[in-house]
């Protein structure tokens, strides 16, 4: 429900307030506070302002990266150092984030997460604490960011199910994600998603009811995002642990390192990107034999969606790619049973190999999956989408193609690039290009590219099929 308050001028109402952080924000040094207040140089203040406004509009449904600042053009945030700790000063903040003059506790905690992660990552990068030139260093950076955010919990049996899926889904699909989340919650599974609306909110909402019925406390509803996404997909109100990774690649690595199983609901290009990321890793020879439950599921009305995905994956990556995932249609209980069985296999494998339950160190993630991809027009045209190369490398470039379309759809820098230079061009092996074009056309017809409303979707890409 959107509970945006409107003032007498017809614009969203705002509040200015000085907030005491909730949720255990560590003490910041004067240097760190100065960095947050500096609007020039590194642009850290601009990043903080963008992410903070996304949190303060938590629960809004939209995917326009510019829409929030058009509604709240005068919003600002400052972090103040005081003798007794930190204060967060909000100017012209959305009134919907407050009740009777007090900021909502959950929004306060998410706001703290924004400050914490932006300060920590920026400081570590400035000090050269992260080695981002090799696979080991990047994985350690992901680990350190998650540990600093207190996401990693030792001495807990594997129970974290990552749920992927689109923000633009039908009502039937949304209700189905809630049903699956409910069945997972009844079986003591915690939920991790990309933290936005749609298929990222539904599983958490369903699990919340199930956890309450089971009288289960200390439940985890983890949201993992990154600066380019959070402005288009504000965190949903159920998220109780938020972490902002520096880029999409580290976000994806966080999902697969933390999660003990993944359930994929219907979605669009972002969901396809996530699927190709994980399958590309599982297809790498070094990861043979490592159990990782991957389930595609949706209501019966969405059966055709997964048929299209399955057909594309088999064509591009070979028939045996299907051994890495299971498709279950319209059966939330079967999904939960399959997830629990898969998690049990993960637990036994981790015990046998003395690997941690809270972070999958043994999974080998090649550098091609870790290096940030900047979707320029030149980079998109240069993708090598051909079947005469190792399958995990082909999957990596297919993932980049979908990542570029995500940027062109909802990320501010991507939208600017499309407006300036026109649509991205994607070229490659003709048979794969024709299959890719059919898949993307289906996404458009099913309204999976952007949220419904406003003008008709104009593709930010052009697939070269000849």
């Amino acid at each position: 429900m959107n509970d945006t308050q409107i003032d007498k001028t017809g614009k969203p109402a705002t509040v200015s307030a000085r907030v005491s952080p909730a949720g255990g924000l560590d003490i910041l040094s004067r240097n760190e506070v100065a960095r947050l207040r500096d609007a020039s140089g590194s642009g850290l203040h601009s990043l903080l302002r963008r992410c903070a406004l996304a949190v303060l509009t938590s629960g809004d449904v939209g995917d326009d990266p510019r829409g929030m600042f058009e509604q709240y053009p005068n919003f600002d945030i400052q972090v103040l150092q005081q003798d007794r700790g930190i204060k967060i000063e909000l100017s012209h903040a959305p009134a919907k984030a407050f009740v009777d003059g007090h900021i909502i506790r959950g929004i306060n905690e998410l706001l703290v997460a924004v400050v914490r992660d932006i300060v920590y990552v920026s400081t570590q990068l400035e000090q050269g604490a992260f080695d981002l030139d090799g696979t080991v260093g990047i994985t350690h950076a992901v680990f350190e960011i998650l540990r600093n955010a207190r996401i990693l919990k030792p001495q807990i049996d594997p129970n974290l199910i990552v749920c992927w899926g689109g923000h633009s889904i039908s009502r039937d699909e949304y209700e189905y994600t809630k049903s699956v989340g409910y069945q997972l919650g009844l079986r003591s599974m915690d939920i991790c998603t990309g933290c936005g609306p749609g298929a990222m909110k539904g599983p958490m909402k369903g699990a919340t009811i199930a956890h309450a019925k089971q009288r289960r406390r200390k439940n985890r509803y983890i949201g993992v995002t990154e600066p380019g996404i959070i402005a288009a997909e504000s965190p949903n109100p159920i998220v109780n642990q938020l972490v902002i990774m520096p880029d999409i690649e580290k976000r994806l690595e966080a999902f697969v390192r933390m999660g003990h199983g993944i359930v994929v609901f219907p979605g669009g290009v972002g969901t396809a990107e996530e699927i190709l990321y994980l399958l590309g890793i599982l297809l790498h020879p070094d990861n043979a034999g490592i159990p990782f439950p991957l389930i595609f599921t949706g209501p019966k009305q969405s059966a055709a969606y997964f048929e299209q995905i399955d057909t594309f994956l088999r064509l591009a990556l070979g028939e045996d790619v299907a051994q890495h995932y299971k498709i279950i249609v319209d059966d939330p209980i079967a999904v939960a049973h399959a997830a629990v069985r898969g998690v049990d296999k993960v637990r036994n494998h981790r015990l046998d190999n003395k690997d941690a339950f809270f972070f999958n160190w043994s999974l080998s993630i090649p550098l091609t999956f870790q290096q940030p991809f900047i979707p320029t027009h030149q980079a998109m045209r240069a993708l090598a989408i051909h079947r005469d190369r190792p399958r995990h490398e082909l999957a990596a470039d297919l993932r980049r193609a979908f990542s570029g379309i995500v940027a062109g759809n909802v990320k501010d820098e991507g939208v600017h690039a499309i407006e300036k230079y026109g649509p991205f061009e994607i070229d490659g092996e003709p048979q794969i290009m024709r299959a890719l074009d059919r898949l993307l056309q289906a996404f458009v017809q099913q309204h999976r590219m952007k949220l419904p409303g406003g003008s008709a979707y104009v593709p930010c890409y052009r697939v070269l099929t000849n």
Side-chain angles (χ1 to χ4, degrees):
M1 181 178 68
N2 191 331
D3 57 352
T4 300
Q5 301 171 31
I6 305 299
D7 65 17
K8 294 180 180 178
T9 68
K11 296 180 180 179
T14 63
V15 170
S16 295
R18 187 168 291 183
V19 175
S20 297
L25 179 65
D26 289 336
I27 299 299
L28 302 180
S29 69
R30 289 185 176 179
N31 179 56
E32 290 170 328
V33 173
R35 285 178 58 75
L36 283 171
R37 298 185 63 183
D38 182 9
S40 60
S42 68
L44 198 59
H45 180 267
S46 175
L47 176 63
L48 175 66
R49 181 171 174 259
R50 184 168 74 247
C51 294
L53 184 55
V55 163
L56 290 163
T57 55
S58 174
D60 279 2
V61 179
D63 56 6
D64 181 357
R66 303 170 183 174
M68 287 190 301
F69 282 107
E70 290 175 355
Q71 285 189 296
Y72 303 99
N74 298 318
F75 168 72
D76 197 18
I77 177 173
Q78 297 291 342
V79 180
L80 307 178
Q81 176 78 57
Q82 297 186 344
D83 291 339
R84 290 182 293 177
I86 299 297
K87 291 284 186 180
I88 298 176
E89 188 169 71
L90 302 173
S91 301
H92 305 287
K96 62 171 291 182
F98 295 79
V99 175
D100 298 335
H102 299 280
I103 191 168
I104 296 171
R105 170 77 186 203
I107 292 177
N108 191 334
E109 292 178 0
L110 298 184
L111 193 61
V112 166
V114 166
V115 175
R116 177 201 66 213
D117 292 339
I118 290 175
V119 168
Y120 177 73
V121 172
S122 174
T123 302
Q124 296 300 97
L125 290 173
E126 183 183 65
Q127 296 175 349
F130 292 156
D131 174 14
L132 302 180
D133 294 327
T135 58
V136 174
I138 293 173
T139 294
H140 276 275
V142 171
F143 174 83
E144 293 292 348
I145 295 168
L146 293 174
R147 181 170 64 175
N148 182 70
R150 300 182 177 92
I151 298 292
L152 305 177
K153 300 294 184 183
Q155 300 175 339
I156 295 178
D157 271 356
N159 76 328
L160 186 61
I161 301 298
V162 173
C163 294
W164 287 339
H167 64 294
S168 179
I169 58 175
S170 70
R171 188 69 197 182
D172 287 340
E173 289 170 343
Y174 176 70
E175 292 298 330
Y176 183 79
T177 69
K178 286 169 57 179
S179 297
V180 172
Y182 176 76
Q183 294 298 331
L184 291 170
L186 288 177
R187 292 159 177 83
S188 298
M189 297 290 115
D190 285 325
I191 305 295
C192 174
T193 77
C195 90
M200 292 167 277
K201 178 183 178 181
M204 290 183 172
K205 196 166 187 178
T208 301
I209 302 301
H211 289 157
K213 283 188 174 183
Q214 294 284 26
R215 303 297 188 264
R216 187 172 181 270
R217 296 172 175 81
K218 297 183 179 179
N219 307 305
R220 294 187 295 164
Y221 310 109
I222 302 172
V224 184
T225 188
E226 56 98 13
I229 290 290
I230 191 171
E233 295 178 358
S234 294
N236 72 70
I238 302 171
V239 172
N240 63 10
Q241 288 186 283
L242 176 68
V243 59
I244 302 174
M245 306 301 292
D247 51 59
I248 192 67
E249 287 76 14
K250 293 176 185 62
R251 181 196 193 203
L252 290 169
E253 181 164 354
F255 281 131
V256 302
R257 295 286 185 189
M258 284 193 303
H260 304 115
I262 292 183
V263 174
V264 183
F265 298 103
V269 285
T271 304
E273 175 186 6
E274 292 163 340
I275 290 170
L276 284 161
Y277 178 87
L278 179 55
L279 286 177
I281 291 170
L282 296 179
L283 288 170
H284 194 283
D286 291 349
N287 295 321
I290 296 180
F292 204 115
L294 175 59
I295 303 164
F296 299 166
T297 190
K300 58 180 179 293
Q301 299 93 325
S302 306
Y305 171 82
F306 287 112
E307 290 174 6
Q308 294 163 339
I309 293 286
D310 182 53
T311 298
F312 178 77
L313 292 174
R314 289 173 185 265
L315 171 71
L317 301 175
E319 287 290 331
D320 63 339
V321 70
Q323 69 180 326
H324 293 288
Y325 55 84
K326 180 188 294 288
I327 300 176
I328 300 175
V329 176
D330 207 36
D331 195 339
I333 294 177
V335 172
H337 285 160
V340 170
R341 287 194 299 269
V343 169
D344 285 342
K345 291 179 180 178
V346 168
R347 181 181 186 278
N348 293 333
H349 184 269
R350 301 275 183 96
L351 287 171
D352 291 342
N353 291 272
K354 297 180 173 56
D355 198 7
F357 286 165
F358 56 83
F359 195 83
N360 189 349
W361 290 104
S362 63
L363 201 65
S364 176
I365 301 182
L367 193 59
T368 52
F369 289 87
Q370 295 178 309
Q371 291 175 319
F373 174 65
I374 309 300
T376 63
H377 284 71
Q378 181 179 1
M380 289 289 282
R381 186 66 188 267
L383 296 173
I385 303 176
H386 302 276
R387 284 178 289 187
D388 59 354
R389 55 193 307 218
R391 290 189 301 168
H392 65 277
E393 294 180 7
L394 171 57
D397 266 2
L398 283 169
R399 196 282 299 180
R400 292 181 176 121
F402 284 105
S403 186
I405 298 173
V406 171
N409 281 345
V410 301
K411 294 187 179 181
D412 201 30
E413 65 275 14
V415 173
H416 277 297
I418 300 302
E419 289 175 345
K420 187 173 183 180
Y421 301 111
F424 293 130
E425 290 187 341
I426 306 171
D427 197 6
E429 183 179 328
Q431 192 174 4
I432 297 179
M433 290 299 100
R434 288 191 290 270
L436 176 61
D437 194 43
R438 288 193 297 271
L439 184 64
L440 293 174
Q441 286 181 23
F443 288 170
V444 174
Q445 292 165 2
Q446 296 165 13
H447 305 290
R448 298 189 185 280
M449 287 295 193
K450 289 177 70 69
L451 287 168
S455 57
Y457 173 71
V458 177
C460 65
Y461 61 89
R462 186 162 68 92
V463 180
L464 306 181
T465 57
N466 296 325

